[in-house]
Amino acid sequence: MRLTQEGQLLQLTWLPRLFPVNCYLVEEKDGLTLIDAAMSFSVQGILDTAAKLNKPINRIILTHAHGDHVGALDELKQRLPSAQVYISERDAALLRGDRSLREGEPQTPIKGSVPTKITTVPDILLQEGDAVGSLTAFATPGHTPGSMSFLDERTGALIAGDALQTFRRTAVAGTVVPFFPFPAMATWNKASALESAVKLLKLSPKVLAVGHGNLLHAPIEHMKYAIEQAEQLQKKAGN
């Protein structure tokens, strides 16, 4: 496991050179917020990092319900029974293994590794604008119908799940990046993902933290370029 710290944000990365999978710890006055639960083998790395910080993990937030973001959830909840689990109301259904679409949603198939054996029941279902400690929740559908991103109001760090990736290059969910196409392959709806990326750009983040790839400082120009690429590809596909 690789650990990267940027102020009050810690990025924990497994398989950083081959298939990077990230989760994050956010330091708060009362302890730690874990964002995403990575893979089943990530449990000890998460707990050891919290122990070194000498702070409890009080909250577990899930950006979305794909397997590489919830893999360690059940064991973490067993070992941290007082930690509250947060997920969007929409992706709580995916966490239960329910791939069905709702009325009014784009009727493109939900893709990716939707879990079927998670037993943890979320404590809090998030809506747009909810505050979790220093974090503000933003609905960013596209990769999944209920994907959410979180802006640290203290620092401008944006934890965006798989709304974008930075491994190989910065790209909007649904844009295929050579040698690492997997986030694109698992994206539910490209048009919604593009709208969400534009929404995140308007937040003017100072640091971009994603599910796959390194922390990106001063990410605005990278995000603009990724959005332009996605727009061009979607226009071409529409023709």
Side-chain angles (χ1 to χ4, degrees):
M1 186 197 78
R2 184 187 71 190
L3 180 64
T4 306
Q5 184 164 3
E6 178 66 29
Q8 291 141 314
L9 179 68
L10 291 88
Q11 181 192 64
L12 288 68
T13 307
W14 288 266
L15 307 175
R17 296 183 180 180
L18 180 65
F19 194 115
V21 174
N22 300 325
C23 68
Y24 295 89
L25 287 169
V26 178
E27 293 190 81
E28 299 277 7
K29 289 181 179 179
D30 66 343
L32 299 168
T33 298
L34 174 67
I35 301 181
D36 285 335
M39 309 291 281
S40 59
F41 53 76
S42 304
V43 173
Q44 202 57 51
I46 293 169
L47 296 177
D48 287 348
T49 303
K52 289 177 182 176
L53 294 169
N54 197 29
K55 292 184 176 181
I57 297 175
N58 293 328
R59 294 161 291 272
I60 301 172
I61 301 176
L62 304 172
T63 61
H64 63 289
H66 278 157
D68 56 336
H69 293 255
V70 304
L73 178 62
D74 279 349
E75 186 172 347
L76 285 170
K77 182 61 174 175
Q78 290 171 8
R79 298 177 66 172
L80 303 167
S82 63
Q84 289 192 307
V85 176
Y86 299 68
I87 193 171
S88 72
E89 182 278 329
R90 178 62 184 89
D91 260 28
L94 266 68
L95 194 64
R96 298 191 298 269
D98 181 0
R99 289 177 178 263
S100 61
L101 293 164
R102 296 180 177 179
E103 185 178 352
E105 292 178 341
Q107 297 297 297
T108 47
I110 294 174
K111 301 177 181 179
S113 57
V114 174
T116 58
K117 297 181 179 180
I118 295 293
T119 60
T120 299
V121 176
D123 298 288
I124 296 175
L125 302 182
L126 290 166
Q127 303 285 346
E128 168 100 19
D130 284 351
V132 185
S134 300
L135 304 170
T136 301
F138 292 89
T140 49
H143 189 64
T144 66
S147 290
M148 298 199 88
S149 300
F150 300 89
L151 182 69
D152 191 325
E153 300 290 353
R154 302 167 298 180
T155 64
L158 177 66
I159 302 93
D162 286 356
L164 297 107
Q165 70 181 70
T166 63
F167 190 56
R168 304 300 185 196
R169 68 177 173 87
T170 305
V172 175
T175 300
V176 174
V177 174
F179 305 109
F180 196 69
F182 309 106
M185 293 166 61
T187 293
W188 160 63
N189 187 268
K190 294 180 181 180
S192 298
L194 178 56
E195 292 175 2
S196 291
V198 172
K199 178 179 181 177
L200 292 178
L201 177 64
K202 292 177 180 178
L203 299 178
S204 300
K206 293 182 173 61
V207 176
L208 177 63
V210 297
H212 306 284
N214 293 343
L215 291 174
L216 190 59
H217 299 84
I220 299 301
E221 293 305 316
H222 294 275
M223 293 173 72
K224 286 180 179 178
Y225 180 76
I227 289 168
E228 290 170 2
Q229 291 293 303
E231 289 173 340
Q232 290 174 12
L233 289 169
Q234 291 188 31
K235 285 179 182 177
K236 187 178 294 185
N239 295 333

